[in-house]
Amino acid sequence: MANHSTTAIVLRTVEFSETSLIVTLLTKDLGRISALAKGARRLKGPFEGSLDLLSVCSISLIDKPGDALDLLTESKLRRRFRGAQRSLERLHAGYYIAEMLRLMIDDDDPHRELFDMTLAAMGMIDGDGPVAKTLLAFDAQCLRLLGHAPSTQQCTVCGRVVQRQRRRASFSLIGGGVVCETCRPSQTHLMTASWEALDALRVLASDPGIENADDSSADVETDSRPKRFPLASLFPPLSAEAYGDLRGLLNRTLEALIGHTPRMQPFLPDKLPG
């Protein structure tokens, strides 16, 4: 057994007994984990109400060997998710982020940059950030950081640059990218997307680098200086038509990876505001 202290985002809580919870956490250093929080359901429990969905906490836990649940021993609230106080759209967006992280990440597989990106996305949804564009960037960055970055210029079959001979490009959901005219007839599970949508996807799935924060109130702290994931710097200009195209493309791509439709997907913004 080993003791760990890290920062975590609460992705799910399940009642375990009259007084305890099983919590699913995305941690900065350990990846996604499940842990038993004894006494968490008591009115005056040891976790000070810090285990609400999407809360950001500083936690301590005992790592149990084998298939046994880790034991959460301490959790101190750093930031509570307040999307429900702003709008139903922001609440649904937060729930979508939590669901996608549970579905796409394996247990005990750390992704520090993904953790930082998630904090940035939650901060925008919890504040005044554009919900629709934030979720596009979140999905695109999840694909990149988990090794599923879509190909928007080179054919996923032959590797050649796809010529823009048609108004819309063919996109392989299985191959995860565009398909050229030569290879298209032999492929299945294709959909089409506008070139504007694919150009936006290339920007959204690019590596923005990590910025140094100027103050100690930054959401994310590393071993030395505070850092922020500059998610907003990825937002490209996007027409209403291209947004619908890109939202549909990301939805279908994620469905192909996961194997089913996420429960919160139907609640995503279906158009850009204004």
Side-chain angles (χ1 to χ4, degrees):
M1 294 189 296
N3 295 319
H4 297 283
S5 296
T6 187
T7 306
I9 303 168
V10 180
L11 302 182
R12 182 168 59 182
T13 61
V14 177
E15 295 179 2
F16 180 72
S17 66
E18 292 185 0
T19 60
S20 301
L21 292 173
I22 295 175
V23 294
T24 303
L25 305 166
L26 177 65
T27 70
K28 187 173 182 67
D29 303 305
L30 305 173
R32 191 188 68 183
I33 62 171
S34 295
L36 177 62
K38 293 183 178 180
R41 299 185 62 200
R42 295 193 186 111
L43 291 177
K44 296 184 179 180
F47 301 105
E48 304 174 356
S50 63
L51 298 179
D52 292 336
L53 184 64
L54 291 172
S55 291
V56 181
C57 315
S58 296
I59 66 166
S60 297
L61 59 87
I62 299 175
D63 183 9
K64 294 293 188 70
D67 296 330
L69 285 171
D70 296 337
L71 180 62
L72 193 66
T73 57
E74 184 179 21
S75 177
K76 294 183 178 180
L77 182 67
R78 293 180 55 180
R79 190 179 74 202
R80 195 181 304 279
F81 179 70
R82 302 185 184 277
Q85 299 176 11
R86 306 295 303 279
S87 70
L88 191 59
E89 180 183 60
R90 293 182 184 274
L91 175 65
H92 287 163
Y95 286 175
Y96 174 78
I97 286 176
E99 181 183 15
M100 295 309 294
L101 292 170
R102 295 199 312 270
L103 292 174
M104 294 189 70
I105 302 174
D106 294 327
D107 286 338
D108 303 315
D109 185 15
H111 292 279
R112 291 175 66 93
E113 192 174 0
L114 179 63
F115 182 92
D116 294 347
M117 186 275 293
T118 300
L119 282 185
M122 287 173 48
M124 299 191 73
I125 289 170
D126 214 9
D128 298 318
V131 175
K133 287 187 175 182
T134 298
L135 292 179
L136 287 181
F138 171 82
D139 284 340
Q141 286 296 311
C142 277
L143 290 172
R144 177 182 75 87
L145 293 168
L146 295 174
H148 303 291
S151 175
T152 59
Q153 293 180 300
Q154 292 180 305
C155 176
T156 58
V157 180
C158 68
R160 290 194 294 263
V161 174
V162 175
Q163 302 300 313
R164 303 191 179 196
Q165 299 171 335
R166 297 174 180 260
R167 187 175 64 86
R168 298 175 67 83
S170 297
F171 190 96
S172 170
L173 296 172
I174 296 177
V178 292
V179 177
C180 71
E181 289 298 304
T182 302
C183 298
R184 181 171 62 87
S186 64
Q187 300 303 300
T188 59
H189 298 89
L190 295 178
M191 65 178 295
T192 65
S194 68
W195 289 106
E196 182 187 356
L198 290 170
D199 289 342
L201 178 57
R202 183 170 63 256
V203 175
L204 289 166
S206 61
D207 183 355
I210 300 293
E211 297 175 341
N212 287 319
D214 295 327
D215 58 81
S216 58
S217 62
D219 292 333
V220 184
E221 294 183 359
T222 59
D223 296 336
S224 53
R225 299 179 60 190
K227 302 281 186 179
R228 282 199 183 99
F229 192 101
L231 195 67
S233 69
L234 297 172
F235 295 164
L238 199 62
S239 68
E241 182 180 1
Y243 169 78
D245 235 17
L246 181 50
R247 185 67 266 171
L249 179 64
L250 284 169
N251 286 352
R252 295 281 302 279
T253 299
L254 291 166
E255 287 173 6
L257 283 171
I258 295 168
H260 65 271
T261 300
R263 291 179 60 187
M264 293 305 301
Q265 189 185 94
F267 298 95
L268 298 180
D270 57 2
K271 60 182 179 179
L272 291 173

